[in-house]
Amino acid sequence: MFLRKFRIGCLLVIVILIVAAFFFVGINVGSSGDLIDKYLIRRHRTESNPSSESVSHVCLSIDDETLVGAIAAINSMIQNTRHPVVFHLLVTQDAYANLRRWLYYSELKDANYEVKIFETEKVLEMITVRLGPQELAKPMNYARFYYAEYFPDLHGNVVHIDNDCIVQGDISELHRTAIAKSSIAAFSDDCSSSAKRFSFIDNSYQHYVNFESDHIKRLKMQRLTCSFNTGVYVFNIDRWRSENVTHDIEHWMILNTKENIYGNEKAGGGSQPPLMIVLYHRWDLLDPLWNVRHLGMTQSKKYFALMIDRAKILHWSGPHKPWSTAAAVPFADKWRKYHVADPSANH
């Protein structure tokens, strides 16, 4: 009798330990095999209404090379807002363990977030970069097109921010951007004085898209239409879904692998041209202070310090990143203010 009770007790202990382990690790395998981090569970417990207008939703797409930048970006948003923020993170399989360690063991451990593994195979066969740096062909540059698929519970406005940014303003202000009913997203254009002054290319569609293509001619787009920057934007994720934006982007990406649709012009290829094609005349204008960019284009300072201080988002677009130690990077001290040390030394 005693032996039987002992065995039952042991089995109960084992069951409890298994359940506790799953709760602690917090990984749930969904229908598509994606991984959901434990803090998704924690968020639903700590936020009484995570879908309320007081909560800002921010998406980032992260790989190993940009992870340190993403952590600083997240930290800057937490430090500079008075409202709750939930981070929705798409990450490569290789970067997941490092990201998890940073989020569990650094000062970001109280952040609200969910993490999902992005299946890079989804886009590999659709990427063609003819001109420009081959870094533009990295799959995580295209993960931003799949937020609506990977985060089906998201609704309303959502913010995307590149990993080479820090946010000096209150991200809740950007999240609350009013988007016209005829539009899907809001971007900073490339024709504002701050963006145009320091760009090394012209700022129109003709420098991204091949207007000699019969497919492009049928769209009747204007060559001199001002382009926009996709490093920072706000989009209505419900409209994105209902308008099948991801499907349309995939159409142009696949077509571009077969013939020259975009990426053979002065501005090169990457993830920006297909989004520009699909959202032609379906986007609104952001205040340029929400994307003060080109900080990584050269090693010299192109902006006055006053402009940098006023900027709500600093964006080191270009080859020189603020976390690089190889050379001096303009205004890297602004980025270092939000840098979070890798906690692996202690764990």
Side-chain angles (χ1 to χ4, degrees):
M1 188 68 176
F2 172 80
L3 185 59
R4 183 183 176 187
K5 289 183 177 179
F6 178 78
R7 288 175 177 171
I8 293 173
C10 289
L11 285 173
L12 287 172
V13 170
I14 291 171
V15 170
I16 291 170
L17 289 173
I18 291 173
V19 172
F22 273 100
F23 180 80
F24 180 76
V25 175
I27 293 178
N28 175 37
V29 181
S31 58
S32 62
D34 48 298
L35 297 180
I36 304 176
D37 194 270
K38 74 169 187 178
Y39 277 67
L40 175 58
I41 300 170
R42 178 181 178 277
R43 169 170 63 87
H44 286 302
R45 291 186 168 189
T46 57
E47 290 294 342
S48 58
N49 185 6
S51 63
S52 72
E53 294 183 1
S54 66
V55 179
S56 299
H57 295 275
V58 180
C59 291
L60 296 93
S61 298
I62 304 168
D63 60 19
D64 256 337
E65 292 186 14
T66 60
L67 175 56
V68 65
I71 294 297
I74 292 170
N75 189 34
S76 70
M77 284 180 265
I78 293 172
Q79 295 295 327
N80 292 318
T81 186
R82 294 172 294 175
H83 302 278
V85 183
V86 177
F87 300 99
H88 308 271
L89 312 176
L90 285 185
V91 61
T92 59
Q93 182 72 58
D94 292 342
Y96 175 74
N98 290 334
L99 173 62
R100 184 172 178 269
R101 184 178 63 247
W102 239 305
L103 295 176
Y104 280 19
Y105 300 118
S106 75
E107 54 261 46
L108 301 181
K109 62 182 180 296
D110 293 325
N112 294 309
Y113 59 85
E114 59 176 318
V115 180
K116 294 192 180 183
I117 304 296
F118 181 69
E119 300 161 349
T120 55
E121 297 79 9
K122 291 174 72 73
V123 295
L124 283 176
E125 299 301 318
M126 294 187 281
I127 298 173
T128 298
V129 175
R130 297 182 178 89
L131 289 180
Q134 285 304 303
E135 289 159 352
L136 297 175
K138 291 182 177 179
M140 293 311 288
N141 288 327
Y142 303 82
R144 70 193 70 192
F145 300 150
Y146 295 90
Y147 292 141
E149 175 183 327
Y150 277 81
F151 303 114
D153 294 330
L154 276 180
H155 298 283
N157 277 12
V158 177
V159 177
H160 164 82
I161 292 182
D162 276 359
N163 301 318
D164 52 359
C165 297
I166 60 162
V167 181
Q168 299 186 135
D170 188 334
I171 194 64
S172 68
E173 295 177 16
L174 182 59
H175 182 260
R176 291 195 303 268
T177 297
I179 301 175
K181 291 182 178 180
S182 59
S183 298
I184 294 173
F187 301 86
S188 173
D189 72 9
D190 290 325
C191 299
S192 66
S193 59
S194 59
K196 190 172 183 178
R197 181 179 178 186
F198 304 116
S199 178
F200 293 94
I201 58 172
D202 287 327
N203 304 285
S204 59
Y205 267 59
Q206 67 181 346
H207 290 101
Y208 290 88
V209 178
N210 177 20
F211 276 83
E212 300 307 312
S213 164
D214 289 336
H215 300 283
I216 296 298
K217 288 179 180 178
R218 293 189 195 105
L219 299 178
K220 301 187 183 302
M221 296 191 301
Q222 298 298 311
R223 291 173 176 266
L224 297 180
T225 300
C226 185
S227 57
F228 55 79
N229 183 271
T230 58
V232 177
Y233 58 93
V234 188
F235 66 106
N236 185 296
I237 200 166
D238 297 304
R239 294 179 201 168
W240 184 287
R241 291 190 187 101
S242 64
E243 295 293 325
N244 296 313
V245 173
T246 298
H247 174 270
D248 292 346
I249 289 173
E250 289 179 336
H251 164 76
W252 289 106
M253 289 176 64
I254 292 170
L255 192 58
N256 191 53
T257 65
K258 302 173 182 177
E259 55 186 281
N260 178 20
I261 301 296
Y262 59 81
N264 208 29
E265 285 62 50
K266 290 182 180 180
S271 61
Q272 184 155 316
L275 189 57
M276 289 171 53
I277 294 171
V278 173
L279 294 188
Y280 182 74
H281 282 175
R282 293 198 290 172
W283 59 278
D284 292 345
L285 194 61
L286 281 181
D287 183 334
L289 290 178
W290 281 113
N291 191 357
V292 175
R293 52 197 179 273
H294 305 314
L295 299 182
M297 294 299 289
T298 70
Q299 293 175 283
S300 59
K301 293 184 177 182
K302 297 290 187 178
Y303 289 97
F304 291 114
L306 180 61
M307 179 67 173
I308 295 299
D309 290 339
R310 290 181 58 224
K312 297 181 179 181
I313 290 182
L314 297 177
H315 185 186
W316 282 267
S317 56
H320 305 290
K321 303 304 179 186
W323 55 83
S324 172
T325 59
V329 178
F331 305 106
D333 58 310
K334 293 287 188 181
W335 180 87
R336 285 192 292 269
K337 178 180 176 182
Y338 300 103
H339 170 60
V340 178
D342 187 342
S344 60
N346 300 320
H347 297 275

